[in-house]
Amino acid sequence: MKLGKTLISEHEIQHRTSQLAHQIVNDFKDKEILIVGVLKGAFMFTADLVRRISKLDAKIEIDFIRARSYGSGKESSGNVKIDLDVSADLKNTCVLLVDDIVDSGNTLKQVCEYLHGKGAANVSTCVLLDKPSRRTTDFVPDYIGFEIPDYFVVGYGLDHNERGRCLPFITHIVD
Ligand code: IMP
Ligand code: MG
């Protein structure tokens, strides 16, 4: 696999994640937060974010949901399928949904509606990356790590056909 230049370094990701954790803890005050990571893409970002939030003594629980909108290509199918559900009871919970990237906005818009349908009192969203130029929905994340141009990126949880997912930084694949 040939990688392009690093777009966002490991250090930049860690620094920004720490800033986001402070902002989140400040906004949620003393409320208990149920953090729901969207698999697989958000596994690394979620792990780093919850560690930072925990260090700030916030009350959090962690859960995961798996949603797919992409087949094996680079375009969202627009039709989001949940193939692993959260295990927590969401009734009256404050959910912070964490994902790797928002592109069309289909995935997070539909997962938010789904979690509201399961009784969550409110659902906020945090994404590491945002590609605003690709949006086809009215979805707006509450917390954004970095805005990026319309590149298809890999690393730090993001993949292309499972390639690049475990890199500690964000880059793109040069074939
Ligand atoms: P959306 O539903 O179009 O907003 O797409 C969101 C999902 O598509 C993300 O959770 C990612 O899994 C995937 N995705 C979107 N853009 C990229 C990218 O540049 N690299 C890797 N995965 C991406
Ligand atoms: Mg994803």
Side-chain angles (χ1 to χ4, degrees):
M1 180 169 79
K2 199 161 166 250
L3 301 178
K5 69 171 181 3
T6 299
L7 297 174
I8 307 171
S9 71
E10 191 174 354
H11 177 77
E12 287 170 310
I13 294 171
Q14 295 306 326
H15 179 68
R16 184 71 187 121
T17 303
S18 174
Q19 289 179 328
L20 288 171
H22 277 90
Q23 206 182 330
I24 290 163
V25 170
N26 198 38
D27 291 352
F28 280 78
K29 305 255 173 341
D30 290 330
K31 281 191 223 137
E32 179 152 349
I33 319 171
L34 176 65
I35 297 191
V36 177
V38 182
L39 295 174
K40 295 181 198 174
F43 84 99
M44 229 183 251
F45 180 43
T46 308
D48 284 341
L49 186 65
V50 296
R51 264 181 281 207
R52 301 281 184 177
I53 293 176
S54 280
K55 281 188 188 165
L56 301 172
D57 283 335
K59 282 176 272 168
I60 53 171
E61 274 187 34
I62 173 100
D63 209 329
F64 291 96
I65 195 165
R66 181 163 166 165
R68 290 166 188 271
S69 66
Y70 277 53
S72 57
K74 294 181 179 174
E75 294 296 319
S76 168
S77 68
N79 194 4
V80 176
K81 191 171 160 272
I82 288 164
D83 52 16
L84 174 78
D85 205 349
V86 287
S87 54
D89 178 4
L90 298 190
K91 291 258 154 38
N92 303 319
T93 53
C94 286
V95 173
L96 178 68
L97 188 61
V98 178
D99 207 355
D100 50 1
I101 189 164
V102 54
D103 186 79
S104 69
N106 278 314
T107 306
L108 286 178
K109 187 177 163 101
Q110 291 181 43
V111 174
C112 280
E113 284 164 9
Y114 178 76
L115 298 179
H116 274 298
K118 290 188 79 132
N122 52 69
V123 182
S124 308
T125 52
C126 176
V127 295
L128 178 70
L129 305 176
D130 185 12
K131 286 198 265 194
S133 64
R134 298 265 303 170
R135 203 76 92 251
T136 58
T137 62
D138 59 1
F139 179 78
V140 183
D142 297 294
Y143 303 94
I144 297 167
F146 303 90
E147 270 193 18
I148 59 165
D150 183 12
Y151 293 145
F152 194 86
V153 294
V154 298
Y156 201 66
L158 294 107
D159 74 307
H160 181 224
N161 295 340
E162 294 302 324
R163 292 197 303 162
R165 203 188 281 288
C166 297
L167 297 166
F169 50 82
I170 302 287
T171 182
H172 51 96
I173 294 172
V174 184
D175 280 314

